[in-house]
Amino acid sequence: MTATALTLPALTLKDAVVRYDRLIAVDGVSLELRRGETLGLVGESGCGKSSVARAIVGLQPLASGTLTIEGETLQDVPPKRRGDLQRRIQLLFQDPAASLSPRMTVRSLLAEPLKIRKLHTPESAARIVALAESIGLGEQLLSRYPHQLSGGQARRVALVRALAAEPSIIVADEPTAGLDISIQGELLNLLRALRDRLGLSYLLISHNLNVVGRVTDRVAVMYLGQIVESGPTAALFRDPAHPYTRALLSANLTFDPSRRRERIVLSGELPSPSNPPSGCRFHKRCPLAQPRCASDIPALQAGADGRNVACHFQLAAEAVVRPQAMVG
């Protein structure tokens, strides 16, 4: 890899639109994932987070927009090259057990990605076994079937299977969901260690804001198919600028009384993505809404602290320096 390539973002999603028939699940989302970082993506259920993940890994086509992987725009490369390019991105599914065939042993499941790409050799098989053992999957587990695994073991199997393809980017969709607190901590420490050892970049999708606050470098907040705020995790959690971000963080549970926020209860229901409100999509639930919000779409604008905010009346008093900023 050239020195120039190493300076490029690991992944850039530009003006992405994802449709399911007439429903627009993702509407003009732009994201930039830098090399070696962990970017969090948060928001209510139904906001489009998983649709972003599916589009990035190729499970759902983009209706419009572009996806650039390590400097190469996927739509511009020849079809034969696309498979190798997309191999660099692997997905950890929200339900790892459901993503594992119940008829295959763990050993077969780990070898499957390489067999599909005709890369399976005795050397690669030995490498996968060594990788599995390095993250706590002893060789005795390789002969088991998915139903014989615990939740934590199933996630580790899914992780090894993703790493078998030697990716540079991992998209992790709710990687800690359903796990005990202690197992969550072990898995997060493992992901961090693998990122540092293998030079991985992570897009982490989660409802667990404590997890996001602990392991991510930056975070992007989605509402009804659009990014409403992004920035460095510490700054955004400390002083959220968008009213929706502030309400979202106020619902986060914490055992530290000094870090608890006054709970903000939003009125109304989350609008349907098949019929989103005009203007700012959050205006019908926003405590700061003004008449302008119902008609004018707020541009995603960048502040001096690296924050990007789409709000006419943002809460943080940061100077806006440019319009139409990409999340990055």
Side-chain angles (χ1 to χ4, degrees):
M1 187 175 293
T2 66
T4 301
L6 289 173
T7 63
L8 295 171
L11 179 147
T12 303
L13 191 65
K14 179 69 173 176
D15 298 329
V17 174
V18 176
R19 294 177 179 269
Y20 299 99
D21 296 325
R22 296 182 181 180
L23 187 150
I24 300 178
V26 177
D27 192 3
V29 165
S30 294
L31 289 170
E32 182 180 274
L33 176 64
R34 301 164 188 168
R35 289 182 182 274
E37 82 163 350
T38 300
L39 173 66
L41 187 60
V42 302
E44 291 173 278
S45 296
C47 71
K49 303 185 303 296
S50 292
S51 292
V52 169
R54 291 177 62 85
I56 287 174
V57 300
L59 293 177
Q60 183 68 28
L62 288 175
S64 63
T66 59
L67 174 63
T68 301
I69 304 168
E70 297 176 344
E72 297 184 79
T73 300
L74 191 64
Q75 291 85 344
D76 295 341
V77 300
K80 291 184 179 180
R81 173 80 176 125
R82 290 180 188 173
D84 180 63
L85 202 57
Q86 287 190 311
R87 178 186 60 80
R88 300 180 194 175
I89 307 176
Q90 295 296 315
L91 174 65
L92 296 181
F93 289 91
Q94 185 170 343
D95 186 350
S99 71
L100 304 176
S101 172
R103 300 186 179 186
M104 300 175 68
T105 64
V106 170
R107 188 184 301 274
S108 298
L109 287 166
L110 298 181
E112 185 182 28
L114 297 180
K115 289 181 178 179
I116 291 173
R117 295 179 174 84
K118 300 180 180 179
L119 299 174
H120 190 258
T121 64
E123 292 77 13
S124 66
R127 179 178 62 83
I128 291 175
V129 171
L131 180 60
E133 291 180 340
S134 72
I135 67 169
L137 291 175
E139 190 163 4
Q140 71 276 9
L141 287 177
L142 301 184
S143 60
R144 294 184 183 178
Y145 288 86
H147 73 275
Q148 297 173 310
L149 304 175
S150 68
Q153 290 170 339
R155 274 179 168 76
R156 290 173 187 257
V157 169
L159 179 58
V160 175
R161 186 172 63 170
L163 294 174
E166 298 185 329
S168 55
I169 301 166
I170 297 287
V171 178
D173 191 359
E174 297 286 358
T176 61
L179 298 179
D180 293 340
I181 295 295
S182 61
I183 303 300
Q184 288 185 25
E186 290 178 6
L187 181 61
L188 293 173
N189 290 335
L190 174 61
L191 289 173
R192 180 178 293 174
L194 289 170
R195 182 190 69 174
D196 296 340
R197 177 157 60 93
L198 303 177
L200 298 171
S201 304
Y202 292 131
L203 175 62
L204 188 147
I205 298 168
S206 181
H207 287 99
N208 190 328
L209 296 177
N210 288 319
V211 167
V212 173
R214 173 185 169 189
V215 304
T216 64
D217 302 295
R218 292 183 302 122
V219 61
V221 181
M222 283 192 72
Y223 182 80
L224 211 62
Q226 297 179 338
I227 301 293
V228 297
E229 183 173 1
S230 72
T233 302
L236 188 145
F237 271 55
R238 180 180 61 251
D239 186 21
H242 196 282
Y244 175 68
T245 308
R246 183 158 292 190
L248 193 68
L249 292 177
S250 78
N252 188 34
L253 296 176
T254 177
F255 295 105
D256 184 352
S258 66
R259 299 178 61 187
R260 289 176 185 166
R261 301 174 185 268
E262 181 180 353
R263 182 66 186 272
I264 300 172
V265 179
L266 298 176
S267 61
E269 298 292 332
L270 182 69
S272 170
S274 62
N275 185 29
S278 60
C280 174
R281 296 190 172 186
F282 184 59
H283 81 268
K284 290 189 175 182
R285 305 173 72 194
C286 180
L288 302 181
Q290 302 292 325
R292 176 187 178 188
C293 302
S295 58
D296 296 347
I297 299 174
L300 191 64
Q301 298 177 320
D305 66 343
R307 193 84 59 87
N308 299 315
V309 186
C311 181
H312 297 306
F313 307 100
Q314 57 183 282
L315 292 163
E318 300 292 345
V320 172
V321 296
R322 69 182 187 274
Q324 299 296 337
M326 177 176 290
V327 174

